[in-house]
Amino acid sequence: IWHGRYVDALENYVRAVKEDGVLPPCPAFEKTLQNLRRVPMEPPTSFHEAVQSLWMTFAFVRLMGNWPGIGRLDVLLGKYLEEDLNHNVLTIDEAREILAHFFIKGCEWVDTYTCTGHNDGGGDGQYYQNVVLSGQDEFGNDQTNEVTYLVLDVLEELRIADFPTSVRIRAKSSEKLMRRVAEVARLGGGLIAVYNDDVVIDALERFGYSRHEASRYANDGCWEVQIPGKTYFAYTPIDSLQTLQHATLRDYSEEVDFPDFESLYKAYCADLFREVEAIVTARARRFSAVGDETGGWVWTEQTPCTLVSLFEEGCIEKGRS
């Protein structure tokens, strides 16, 4: 229904241009209409359709109140661009312009007061459309492609920070990529950040993911690493400095006396562990029972999150949120 409104609006505009001659012709509108007649309901057949499909899908998920990142933009779009370039469907400059429009579109804000009659007070600087570039696939192959460098070009040219962009850098990353990342990073403005690919994948393996799964990591709408379609994630802030001040140092009480730094650090780690354990326990009570006889999680009754479930592995097969 939501998608259909855009199609109808574009068709009405194009029709008015042809029939009345009052409205100015807009090739971009006609191209967008052509794209939307196919995507995101059907698989894209070109780079432009793929970009359009990705934006519509992300915008709808975001509209439904969920907070995903966009993820590995170059992995998602790279093969479409390669195919179009090989068959002279578009030029690299045309592809760059399409991506630039994608980034500019993400800077738009809808005034909540206009829509709802009240201001929700949201003060965040972007829609959490985090982008992750480069890194390796599940077989260890480097995923850097033309889209990787196009995104860096767009960030350099437009200085758009509304898409927090991270690059997965590893020991085998090319000098070309490293130099280009450094050139964009030195502009400042929070345009780009770096994940240590080797460290993150090793950590995810220790956490319990297979290397095949771990290699697919991206992030959520913030910076927390997770596996698309796999990770159950809940955001809980913790003030570790407060733990040190109030618990370990007892509000800087004169009674606190540690003979050396090692004993202070050991006490602090113990206090921090207890606080983290309390958070995990509280989360477990909120989202599940303690567990069944097999030690597995038992989910509590709650409103299903249907849209996100469409993108999570196993939900459709089990018919469960």
Side-chain angles (χ1 to χ4, degrees):
I1 293 172
W2 178 71
H3 170 268
R5 292 173 187 162
Y6 280 90
V7 174
D8 290 344
L10 288 167
E11 286 180 341
N12 290 337
Y13 187 95
V14 171
R15 188 182 304 112
V17 169
K18 294 178 179 178
E19 294 177 357
D20 303 332
V22 177
L23 296 172
C26 183
F29 278 16
E30 294 186 23
K31 180 59 180 175
T32 302
L33 175 58
Q34 180 184 335
N35 288 339
L36 288 179
R37 281 174 174 157
R38 178 173 181 84
V39 298
M41 308 307 176
E42 300 291 335
T45 60
S46 68
F47 175 73
H48 200 166
E49 284 185 356
V51 175
Q52 183 73 62
S53 182
L54 181 59
W55 176 258
M56 288 294 289
T57 304
F58 171 77
F60 185 68
V61 175
R62 186 66 183 81
L63 182 67
M64 293 295 99
N66 299 292
W67 307 83
I70 286 176
R72 304 183 72 181
L73 190 66
D74 49 0
V75 173
L76 293 167
L77 299 176
K79 290 182 179 179
Y80 293 101
L81 178 57
E82 181 182 11
E83 189 76 9
D84 281 4
L85 291 174
N86 289 340
H87 291 86
N88 297 316
V89 174
L90 47 60
T91 66
I92 195 70
D93 287 337
E94 289 170 333
R96 174 173 170 160
E97 183 168 345
I98 291 169
L99 267 184
H101 278 256
F102 178 84
F103 274 74
I104 292 169
K105 180 68 179 177
C107 296
E108 290 184 354
W109 279 81
V110 177
D111 184 0
T112 55
Y113 184 84
T114 303
C115 298
T116 63
H118 66 275
N119 194 325
D120 64 5
D124 289 310
Q126 38 87 15
Y127 280 138
Y128 300 94
Q129 55 248 19
N130 289 39
V131 168
V132 179
L133 301 175
S134 191
Q136 56 191 291
D137 66 8
E138 55 267 41
F139 305 107
N141 301 313
D142 187 69
Q143 294 296 283
T144 308
N145 57 48
E146 289 285 359
V147 175
T148 312
Y149 292 106
L150 281 183
V151 171
L152 295 173
D153 289 348
V154 169
L155 292 175
E156 181 181 55
E157 178 185 8
L158 301 180
R159 309 292 175 94
I160 287 177
D162 284 52
F163 286 74
T165 301
S166 304
V167 185
R168 289 174 46 170
I169 297 294
R170 58 183 183 143
K172 295 182 180 180
S173 292
S174 69
E175 182 179 348
K176 177 184 176 182
L177 177 66
M178 296 282 281
R179 181 172 294 278
R180 193 70 188 101
V181 168
E183 289 170 350
V184 177
R186 73 195 292 265
L187 297 173
L191 293 178
I192 200 166
V194 169
Y195 282 108
N196 186 322
D197 215 33
D198 301 314
V199 170
V200 172
I201 290 174
D202 287 346
L204 288 169
E205 277 194 287
R206 291 199 303 274
F207 191 74
Y209 289 105
S210 68
R211 192 163 191 85
H212 184 279
E213 292 174 325
S215 299
R216 295 176 49 233
Y217 80 87
N219 53 18
D220 68 331
C222 291
W223 304 102
E224 291 76 22
V225 169
Q226 54 180 283
I227 314 301
K230 297 286 290 189
T231 303
Y232 174 70
F233 171 76
Y235 174 71
T236 304
I238 178 174
D239 188 340
S240 52
L241 177 59
Q242 179 175 281
T243 301
L244 173 66
Q245 293 172 318
H246 297 322
T248 311
L249 299 178
R250 302 177 194 173
D251 294 320
Y252 302 103
S253 169
E254 294 181 0
E255 300 174 2
V256 177
D257 183 20
F258 295 99
D260 50 45
F261 176 80
E262 285 69 25
S263 58
L264 166 61
Y265 185 67
K266 183 177 180 180
Y268 173 54
C269 287
D271 290 333
L272 201 57
F273 181 84
R274 277 192 293 272
E275 185 151 338
V276 171
E277 192 172 42
I279 291 172
V280 173
T281 301
R283 279 285 179 183
R285 288 198 196 100
R286 178 178 173 187
F287 291 109
S288 74
V290 176
D292 60 17
E293 62 277 2
T294 67
W297 287 63
V298 180
W299 301 105
T300 56
E301 293 292 331
Q302 59 180 317
T303 304
C305 192
T306 309
L307 183 60
V308 171
S309 299
L310 294 176
F311 295 94
E312 292 295 318
E313 293 182 17
C315 293
I316 294 176
E317 291 79 2
K318 296 175 182 177
R320 300 180 66 184
S321 176

